[in-house]
Amino acid sequence: MRNPLGAIRGAVQLLKRELGPDSRFGEYTDVLITEVDRVNRIIEMLLDLARPVQLRPVPLNLHQLLERVAVLNEEGARERGIALVRRYDPSLPPILGDEDRLVQVFHNLVRNALDAMGSSGRLTLSTRVSLNPLFGKMDLGGGQRNMVEAQVADEGAGIPATVRAKIFDPFFTTKDKGLGLGLAICHRILEEHRGAIQVESAEGRGTIVTCFLPIAK
């Protein structure tokens, strides 16, 4: 599907150039290019679910990774009256992970949190070494390894109890717009890291999403 879409995009770009900047059809060519790009993103998300995730795990500074995500979203949060708060454990050891994939996970979680909050409140990013009895230590194939927690906490509307069990199902969404693939992909990526994801939510009070990731040896 990508080859025909690439051809369509190229043809529309040529058409836009031929029409010139003053053409009344310019806005229509822009819409076509935007929609082709959107379909390409949908295809990429579907492929992420269907194919094995290819990871390049290396020791990572989790705080630097979270700051990449924060910088991408902070201005948009500020415009909506939302404060982005950091509560990082300064003694946190490096984690083992694929940087690009984990940025994808946390970017998705932060965007979801912002969407849930409307126009005020605090969105908190926090880290700590995990003491969770279920996910605090995980078997990565070479024995038990300690885990760290990275949390994205919002003060939004919360997730209704009736749908919480479905939030990681592909194509399930409570949004007016969206495919319902974001959390399913996050879940898949964290599983491939031999980690986990946990959601706690209270209607009217907000949601905390906790990601468990292995400490690098």
Side-chain angles (χ1 to χ4, degrees):
M1 288 183 68
R2 284 177 167 178
N3 289 339
L5 286 171
I8 292 168
R9 195 183 197 282
V12 174
Q13 286 177 315
L14 287 172
L15 177 61
K16 182 178 180 179
R17 191 180 308 156
E18 288 295 320
L19 291 171
D22 299 323
S23 171
R24 64 188 180 91
F25 296 108
E27 63 179 298
Y28 300 113
T29 56
D30 287 342
V31 168
L32 284 169
I33 291 170
T34 298
E35 289 304 300
V36 167
D37 290 343
R38 187 174 70 87
V39 172
N40 267 318
R41 289 194 297 272
I42 292 170
I43 292 170
E44 187 64 34
M45 287 190 289
L46 290 170
L47 288 173
D48 277 342
L49 281 177
R51 65 192 175 195
V53 178
Q54 299 297 318
L55 298 181
R56 297 177 179 85
V58 295
L60 296 172
N61 183 315
L62 181 56
H63 298 158
Q64 290 178 358
L65 188 150
L66 290 173
E67 279 305 297
R68 280 184 59 188
V69 176
V71 167
L72 289 171
N73 290 281
E74 195 151 29
E75 184 59 32
R78 189 180 296 113
E79 290 174 356
R80 295 163 62 174
I82 296 171
L84 212 163
V85 179
R86 285 88 156 169
R87 291 180 180 165
Y88 298 156
D89 178 352
S91 65
L92 198 78
I95 63 166
L96 185 66
D98 182 307
E99 184 171 6
D100 289 339
R101 290 294 190 174
L102 292 178
V103 166
Q104 180 183 356
V105 167
F106 289 110
H107 182 65
N108 188 282
L109 296 179
V110 168
R111 291 297 297 271
N112 283 352
L114 289 172
D115 289 344
M117 290 178 66
S119 58
S120 64
R122 292 180 301 174
L123 191 161
T124 303
L125 302 176
S126 60
T127 63
R128 64 184 179 187
V129 174
S130 181
L131 298 176
N132 185 286
L134 185 60
F135 300 118
K137 289 188 177 182
M138 302 282 278
D139 188 350
L140 272 65
Q144 295 283 311
R145 188 174 297 195
N146 290 329
M147 309 292 279
V148 303
E149 297 179 14
Q151 289 188 338
V152 180
D154 68 60
E155 297 177 348
I159 303 169
T162 53
V163 302
R164 278 177 216 157
K166 303 176 184 178
I167 59 174
F168 296 116
D169 292 350
F171 304 108
F172 177 80
T173 181
T174 58
K175 298 179 181 180
D176 294 332
K177 295 182 179 180
L179 294 172
L181 292 174
L183 284 177
I185 292 171
C186 289
H187 187 271
R188 174 79 180 280
I189 291 171
L190 288 167
E191 279 193 332
E192 293 292 337
H193 278 81
R194 303 292 183 90
I197 185 169
Q198 187 177 59
V199 176
E200 302 168 79
S201 190
E203 290 187 66
R205 296 176 59 187
T207 300
I208 301 173
V209 181
T210 304
C211 299
F212 298 87
L213 290 160
I215 291 173
K217 286 188 176 179

